[in-house]
Amino acid sequence: MTFSPSAPARVGIVGTGNIFDRYVKGMARFPRLSLTGCADLDHARAVKAAAEHGIAAYDSVEALLADPDVDIVVNITPPVAHAAVTTQAIRAGKHVYVEKPVAATVAEAEPLTALAQERGVRYGSAPDTFLGSAAQTARAALDDGAIGTPVGATAFVTHSRAETWHPDPTFLFAPGGGPGLDLGPYYLTHLVNLLGPIATVSGLSRIGAPVRTVTSPGRTVESIEVTTPTHAAAVLGFTSGVIGSLQMSFDVWNHHLPFIEVYGTEGTLSLPDPNGFDGDVRVRRNLDAEWTTLPPVLPPSGPLDMEVQMLRGSGVDDLAGAVDGAPHRASAALAFHVLEALEAVERSSTTRQVVELSSTVGRPAPMHSEGATA
């Protein structure tokens, strides 16, 4: 099977919620992807979404999965449904790309990679922002020794203010949500891309405000009872020996914190928001008087406004390329490793013990290397 602009991969989306438009508009930028249709448990919502974008609305998820004209299923259902829908799609013989987290729990995610191998399909997962110009520029700088040997790293996940823009962010404050599973995958995926796999995790977590008031326009709920930790801190022991510190919080509304920094024997590397694809990557060697902004090793995806940086689809295109034999970067194996590390933060908090991870994963092939394909 070879996907190309003349014979693109035919994509069906399961789930037409808040991020549906981001995928539709984002995938339209990739010539080897063609959107066939969508499905949702709420059929009326699927019909409305399909009409807005001029695509087909399937009568059910099962109907979409049974369509031989669908090559790739993009699963953007709520996290608690990720594993079930992915399982259905794999069993239907479809290649699958699932939104982050790859599943709501490690236990749900564990059987899926083996199932995909058994059925002979490719299985990938968000986040895909590490494929953008910022993360790839940082990766090139590290690989070129710009800050010497990496020693430490920090990452600060702060509040997305979902109460102010999402019509019903209840799922973010329930098991399967929280700052770890909502935003944590962007940060840890960036760190693994830069520094390699994580070996150990120790952490503490707690619930901050027990009730959240929703103020978003068009909201469908007025308040949320919080049932999952909203503030966590962790120490990450990377296999390479790098020590990382991670804070993830829906209780930090305002701050002066960086997004991600890596500290080496000869300098510091600073990255922009990993929830987007682009932005300035800065380096400052130990005796430098000022920071230097590095030239991007890949063309930026567009302007640094929220609308463009929130578009998705790079990971789906990456999956289509992997079906044709290119490196699979936004893989389910990478997403599983990140999920295990994030789940280990709460496990460590509960047991008051250091957690040793059972999974490992290689650093994804860099996009900037000679002969690499997007």
Side-chain angles (χ1 to χ4, degrees):
M1 180 182 293
T2 301
F3 298 131
S4 68
S6 60
R10 299 163 297 183
V11 179
I13 299 179
V14 177
T16 56
N18 192 58
I19 61 172
F20 178 76
D21 285 352
R22 298 180 194 174
Y23 270 88
V24 173
K25 295 174 183 176
M27 288 192 296
R29 301 173 298 173
F30 297 95
R32 64 179 165 193
L33 301 177
S34 174
L35 184 56
T36 299
C38 63
D40 196 290
L41 287 178
D42 183 342
H43 182 57
R45 186 164 68 174
V47 170
K48 182 177 182 293
E52 290 173 352
H53 295 283
I55 59 175
Y58 290 88
D59 291 337
S60 64
V61 173
E62 290 75 18
L64 185 153
L65 298 181
D67 187 352
D69 287 335
V70 172
D71 301 307
I72 295 174
V73 170
V74 174
N75 177 4
I76 54 174
T77 57
V80 293
H82 282 181
V85 172
T86 295
T87 299
Q88 282 183 278
I90 291 173
R91 290 192 182 282
K94 308 299 185 184
H95 305 293
V96 180
Y97 183 82
V98 60
E99 243 303 317
K100 53 79 193 166
V102 67
T105 66
V106 166
E108 290 182 353
E110 276 180 324
L112 298 178
T113 297
L115 180 61
Q117 292 173 344
E118 175 189 318
R119 296 302 172 105
V121 298
R122 278 283 176 183
Y123 171 33
S125 178
D128 57 4
T129 51
F130 75 96
L131 302 175
S133 68
Q136 292 299 315
T137 298
R139 171 69 179 270
L142 280 180
D143 289 352
D144 290 343
I147 61 169
T149 301
V151 174
T154 56
F156 294 96
V157 182
T158 56
H159 203 344
S160 64
R161 300 175 182 249
E163 298 103 302
T164 67
W165 56 265
H166 198 294
D168 182 6
T170 302
F171 71 99
L172 294 176
F173 298 93
L181 294 189
D182 179 41
L183 294 172
Y186 296 106
Y187 291 74
L188 285 198
T189 302
H190 268 55
L191 289 175
V192 173
N193 173 59
L194 294 172
L195 303 170
I198 299 163
T200 61
V201 174
S202 59
L204 290 171
S205 65
R206 57 162 291 180
I207 290 175
V211 177
R212 301 292 178 123
T213 300
V214 181
T215 60
S216 60
R219 60 189 174 276
T220 58
V221 297
E222 295 297 325
S223 65
I224 299 167
E225 182 179 349
V226 179
T227 56
T228 199
T230 55
H231 187 91
V235 175
L236 311 174
F238 289 82
T239 302
S240 64
V242 173
I243 299 171
S245 58
L246 170 69
Q247 177 178 284
M248 305 178 291
S249 184
F250 281 166
D251 297 288
V252 177
W253 285 74
N254 303 293
H255 58 87
H256 292 292
L257 299 168
F259 291 103
I260 295 174
E261 290 183 343
V262 181
Y263 311 108
T265 54
E266 297 175 22
T268 298
L269 191 67
S270 181
L271 280 72
D273 187 352
N275 199 3
F277 290 85
D278 310 306
D280 288 344
V281 175
R282 300 182 302 152
V283 66
R284 186 169 178 175
R285 292 176 65 82
N286 291 346
L287 300 181
D288 288 350
E290 297 180 348
W291 291 88
T292 298
T293 299
L294 298 174
V297 298
L298 297 176
S301 61
L304 293 178
D305 63 72
M306 185 69 73
E307 184 176 351
V308 172
Q309 294 302 315
M310 291 294 113
L311 293 179
R312 299 299 184 243
S314 293
V316 186
D317 187 65
D318 175 70
L319 175 66
V323 172
D324 291 341
H328 193 185
R329 297 177 174 91
S331 68
L334 173 59
F336 179 88
H337 182 66
V338 166
L339 175 63
E340 187 187 9
L342 290 168
E343 191 172 284
V345 176
E346 178 61 16
R347 182 178 162 196
S348 175
S349 181
T350 300
T351 64
R352 294 300 197 267
Q353 295 180 342
V354 176
V355 176
E356 294 187 6
L357 301 191
S358 61
S359 68
T360 190
V361 68
R363 291 201 300 166
M367 302 281 287
H368 63 275
S369 63
E370 185 177 353
T373 56

